[in-house]
Amino acid sequence: MSTPPRTALVTGAGRGIGRGIALGLARAGWSVGLVGRTRAHLDAAAADCRAANPSILVAVAAGDLVDAEAAAAAVASIEHELAPLGGLGLLVNNAGVVEHAELAFAADDVADAWRVIETNVRGPLLVTHAVLPGMLARGGGRVVNLSSGSAHRVSDAYTGYGISKGALSRFTRLLDHQYRAAGLRVFDLAPGVVATDMTGQMPLHADRTAWTPVEAVADLVVAIGEGRLDALSGRFLRAGADTPDSLLAAADRIVAADARVLRLVTDGPDDPAA
């Protein structure tokens, strides 16, 4: 693959994990495009990024990423602002939501579960679809989808969230398969449990005392953006447990075992699901 520009678009960048990732990239010398729904939050995050590194370029675009026209317009605005630096080298699909109530599916509001699925899946699909042509034309780029252990583990609640993260993990694997030869590298990154407004409202975490530092998430995003983890394209990484160094040490073993991917467990080579 060609060497992508040191520029990144981060969705959901106004608060929480997205803001932490944008700040981590800025401190590491990346110019950043911040995208989300609320302009005031984005402007505040942009000011923090500029203060962290006055030498970088920071662009902002507000819009509802579930809306196809708004998503395309936001990406076009960021690409225009970052064009003098060579376009976009890294996309971080971070924007996401969870159900309002912590309930098993029979008691849940299907409309609310669908809101979660639509936000967490349609948004990344639309943004990635808008970003890909430029990346592929330049010979490649990198995409990070913010995943979760909920993508592959069962849960007593938050059904829509689990469905959405499972779908996002499948999207990561499909993109890796379809475009690896064209220079694209794609990653599932579970941030662990970071203290944010969203997790703070979840009864599941009411008694939690151990949290993943958002800096650990940003460190992995920076390592991905710099190409240090390219051997693990298409796979699942977990901030707070994985570090860039630990992943590099385990990369050959992970690839040889074809581990860290979403798949069915079969009962042998003759299983029709194999």
Side-chain angles (χ1 to χ4, degrees), residues 21-240:
I21 289 172
L23 272 171
L25 286 164
R27 290 177 179 132
W30 287 70
S31 290
V32 290
L34 312 184
V35 176
R37 289 181 177 175
T38 306
R39 180 73 193 216
H41 294 157
L42 294 170
D43 286 341
D48 290 340
C49 289
R50 293 186 184 103
N53 191 339
S55 67
I56 65 168
L57 179 62
V58 181
V60 172
D64 182 357
L65 300 182
V66 176
D67 179 88
E69 290 185 2
V75 170
S77 175
I78 297 298
E79 287 186 325
H80 176 74
E81 293 291 326
L82 299 181
L85 302 178
L88 282 171
L90 173 66
L91 167 62
V92 182
N93 283 312
N94 162 77
V97 296
V98 72
E99 282 96 322
H100 293 309
E102 190 172 291
L103 299 169
F105 183 64
D108 203 0
D109 178 358
V110 174
D112 190 43
W114 181 249
R115 172 188 65 87
V116 172
I117 295 167
E118 190 169 38
T119 300
N120 295 357
V121 180
R122 180 175 168 84
L125 288 177
L126 289 171
V127 174
T128 305
H129 195 261
V131 167
L132 271 185
M135 284 188 172
L136 296 175
R138 290 187 293 272
R142 298 181 177 93
V143 176
V144 178
N145 291 320
L146 264 289
S147 186
S148 168
S150 297
H152 56 88
R153 289 199 296 263
V154 294
S155 171
D156 293 332
Y158 301 122
T159 307
Y161 185 78
I163 290 169
S164 73
K165 293 304 182 179
L168 202 58
S169 289
R170 192 62 183 148
F171 183 45
T172 293
R173 190 67 166 169
L174 288 168
L175 283 177
D176 173 71
H177 172 76
Q178 293 172 11
Y179 295 109
R180 184 187 290 201
L184 195 70
R185 302 291 181 264
V186 195
F187 303 82
D188 265 349
L189 174 55
V193 186
V194 179
T196 66
D197 291 344
M198 186 176 89
T199 55
Q201 296 170 6
M202 297 169 67
L204 176 67
H205 302 305
D207 298 322
R208 179 175 293 276
T209 57
W211 301 87
T212 304
V214 72
E215 293 81 6
V217 187
D219 287 346
L220 283 173
V221 172
V222 170
I224 289 168
E226 292 176 344
R228 288 187 276 152
L229 302 179
D230 278 356
L232 298 174
S233 179
R235 304 183 189 278
F236 181 91
L237 317 179
R238 205 284 198 179

